[in-house]
Structure formats: structure tokens, C-alpha cells
Amino acid sequence: MNALHKIERYLDDHLIPFDIVAHPHTQTSAETARAAGIDASRLAKGVLLEGHDCQLVAMIPADQEIHLGKLGLDHGVEFSLADEKSVGALFSDCEPGVIPGLPNAWGVEIVWDDALMSKPDIYLEAGDHERLVHVETRYLREMFDDAPHCRFTQPRMS
């Protein structure tokens, strides 16, 4: 099963309405937002983090960056960014370099930044470099189950 099918099944199983948005091939979240014609604050970006004996994906708005110290203090773990090899091992059915917008569909723990709730709708990576999954923000809490959340991002430095 490819990544998009896994995401579609997860959303269907949770009765969450969604649509798929195609865009030209991109490599970065900033390029993706531009190509899809959306503001980067409406694109949820996954970042794989590693801590002592754990891995999790931090879901953040694409116009933000993680403040690792704040996240670590809030969760009592010192985190670092995982490498591409770790991303590929966890999400082998995704295209290289892509962390899907619903990592919990893969059984991967997540933490999400509260800033994701600030927009009426959100776009999630579909597992490749050419499609996004579009959902209303009110469904985020349900999609992310009872995953921990707090404010741990800051505006991206250009």
C-alpha cells in the first residue's frame, strides 16, 4: 500500500472528509506552499525527532521552526533532528525525504504545535512530492488522537 492510500484509509476509518490537492513536484515545504498556492502557515510539516530511546514526529506549520529546547523542557527529553536514513526507515512507502502528514497512521508517535489550530483548514503531506491532503482544522484533534501538544515553534529565520 502506498502512502496516499494509507492516509486515505486512515481518514475514511475516522470519517474525516478530505480532498487531495495536486501540485508541481517540489523538494521543500516552502516550495510546496508556493506551488500549491497556499500560505505556508496552512501547511503542516512533519519533522522527525530523536530523543533518549524514542522517536517522534513533531507536526508544525511550515512557516515555523522547532525550538528544540522548549520542546525538550516541556517533555523532559532532549531531542535532536533525525537523519534522512531514519526518515526512510520509518516511512519506507513514502518518497525519499517526505514525512507524511499523518505519521500516526504508521504507528509513529507525534507531538503537535498549537499554532496548527490557528487556521480554518490545513494541508498535510500525502507521502510524495506532488500531492497534499486538505482537511478542515477542526478535525486535527481527532486525526492526531490524544497526542501531546504545546507551543514549541518560532517564526522561521530567513
Side-chain angles (χ1 to χ4, degrees), residues 18-81:
F18 65 94
D19 58 309
I20 304 300
V21 176
H23 61 81
H25 186 88
T26 58
Q27 290 295 324
T28 68
S29 56
E31 289 175 7
T32 299
R34 280 192 298 275
I38 60 173
D39 188 274
S41 66
R42 293 172 56 207
L43 176 61
K45 173 183 175 177
V47 180
L48 183 60
L49 302 175
E50 296 177 331
H52 180 67
D53 293 330
C54 72
Q55 286 184 316
L56 61 82
V57 172
M59 295 302 300
I60 66 171
D63 66 341
Q64 301 284 307
E65 61 186 15
I66 296 174
H67 186 292
L68 287 173
K70 169 116 176 76
L71 182 61
L73 286 173
D74 285 351
H75 293 278
V77 176
E78 188 173 326
F79 290 106
S80 62
L81 299 176

Side-chain angles (χ1 to χ4, degrees), residues 42 116-122 134-139:
R42 293 172 56 207
L116 288 173
M117 293 296 178
S118 68
K119 304 293 179 183
D121 57 353
I122 200 87
H134 176 232
V135 297
E136 291 180 32
T137 304
R138 64 186 170 132
Y139 295 112

Side-chain angles (χ1 to χ4, degrees), residues 1 87 123 125 140 148 154:
M1 174 183 320
V87 171
Y123 294 81
E125 294 286 351
L140 273 183
Q154 59 194 21

Side-chain angles (χ1 to χ4, degrees), residues 81-97:
L81 299 176
D83 59 22
E84 289 293 322
K85 184 177 177 181
S86 296
V87 171
L90 274 180
F91 304 111
S92 60
D93 47 357
C94 294
E95 288 185 8

